[in-house]
Amino acid sequence: MLTPSDFIPKNYTQTIDKGSFQWSAPSNIALVKYWGKKENQIPANPSISFTLKNCKTITKLTFSKIEKADHFSFDLLFEGKSKESFRPKIQKFLERVEVYLPFLKEYHFTIDTQNTFPHSSGIASSASGIAALAVNFMSLEKKLNPEMTDEYFNQKASFLARLGSGSACRSVKGEVVIWGNHLETQNSSDLFGVEFSTLHPNFKNYQDTILLVDKGEKQVSSTLGHDLMNGHPFAEKRFEQAHQNLSKMKAILANGEVDEFVKFVESEALTLHAMMMTSMPYFILMKPNTLEIINKIWKFREATSIQVCFTLDAGANVHVLYPENVREEVLQFIKNELVVHCQNEQYICDEIGNGAVQINNI
């Protein structure tokens, strides 16, 4: 089993003075939720997620050699304009990964980033943004160590991304990704995500239409939300349940059992919110329109037998999940009945993707 020290490079065989890379990395949506974490971004329970395709961050990393300094040298641009408010998060990320990327203080970096989804839409961009930065840094390390294998590249990129944002480790590689030690998953790790490779054709190109119920700032930060599981009265039972549900979800995804998928995905979403409602302090992150949408989805599914379902992240927005072969019917239902509950009637059509993609290297 790999340990953090396995990601500390022993030496580099090449040098490079300047250049740039550009990568896109997607967001992801957990099916079995991770909620609660230990030190060093270690999850309290394993999770499994769909990697998205259209909701992604595109980041260009430009670098030039400088005399090694005692601080990190970087400029931050968001959609072409300076974004100093991002600096503390990037600074903290660089501090956490420096031991694994010892070249960081030998270069000046310009990090130029943009999202394909609306800014402040309520969609978490930490996963896609940090994953995109991690694969860019790994591209630079691969120039310094050309013998690096693709497997190691992806593992270390996921490992680094986790240190910036836990769920970011699930945005590097794969349609479906498992993160966290799980007895029934070979090579699973708390340190990085691993690709789930036996996805049934029923789940290929699975659709995710994201209904933007509330585009405001998060009521509860992810860090605070995870911390609320420390001492939570139901924490241990929840962690146990997550292990069991991951085993069930793996079988469902491998066997193509869409009916069972619906049950477990919705139960997991509601359990996540139940944990927040029963913590101290307690929060209700759903909005009235969230509940309206959920009830309409249940009513539509009962009336049509179309296996559409919902999941939620730690907020009010609703991810509507459904097979590709019922796309037209579900989109019509969304337009007719659900968009009225979205802020400014906004929604985003997405589907399963394959993870981070290199756009160019110069």
Side-chain angles (χ1 to χ4, degrees), residues 34-39 41-44 222-223 226-227 229-230:
Y34 130 73
W35 199 242
K37 62 184 174 183
K38 305 170 189 174
E39 287 184 349
Q41 299 286 89
I42 297 298
S222 295
T223 300
H226 288 296
D227 286 348
M229 290 300 282
N230 297 327

Side-chain angles (χ1 to χ4, degrees), residues 7 12 22 26 48 91 163 166 173 205 210 255 285 294 297 302 304 312 327 336:
F7 295 111
Y12 293 128
Q22 189 173 30
I48 186 168
Q91 176 73 25
L163 293 172
K173 184 72 175 171
N205 304 320
I210 306 158
N255 298 329
L285 299 188
I294 289 171
I297 288 172
E302 186 176 359
T304 64
L312 309 167
R327 185 172 186 272
N336 291 346

Side-chain angles (χ1 to χ4, degrees), residues 200-246:
H200 191 278
N202 285 355
F203 294 105
K204 294 287 184 181
N205 304 320
Y206 220 73
Q207 304 292 297
D208 178 5
T209 299
I210 306 158
L211 307 182
L212 304 181
V213 173
D214 181 12
K215 304 198 302 176
E217 286 294 312
K218 275 186 175 182
Q219 185 183 337
V220 184
S221 73
S222 295
T223 300
L224 174 59
H226 288 296
D227 286 348
L228 291 173
M229 290 300 282
N230 297 327
H232 193 294
F234 308 127
E236 290 310 313
K237 288 302 290 183
R238 164 57 196 157
F239 301 149
E240 233 178 85
Q241 179 195 45
H243 280 269
Q244 293 165 359
N245 283 356
L246 178 51

Side-chain angles (χ1 to χ4, degrees), residues 2-48:
L2 290 171
T3 66
S5 61
D6 291 311
F7 295 111
I8 299 174
K10 294 176 175 58
N11 53 57
Y12 293 128
T13 60
Q14 302 294 320
T15 59
I16 182 169
D17 290 335
K18 61 181 180 178
S20 69
F21 301 98
Q22 189 173 30
W23 282 80
S24 71
S27 189
N28 65 74
I29 181 66
L31 308 173
V32 173
K33 308 293 185 180
Y34 130 73
W35 199 242
K37 62 184 174 183
K38 305 170 189 174
E39 287 184 349
N40 300 320
Q41 299 286 89
I42 297 298
N45 67 265
S47 59
I48 186 168

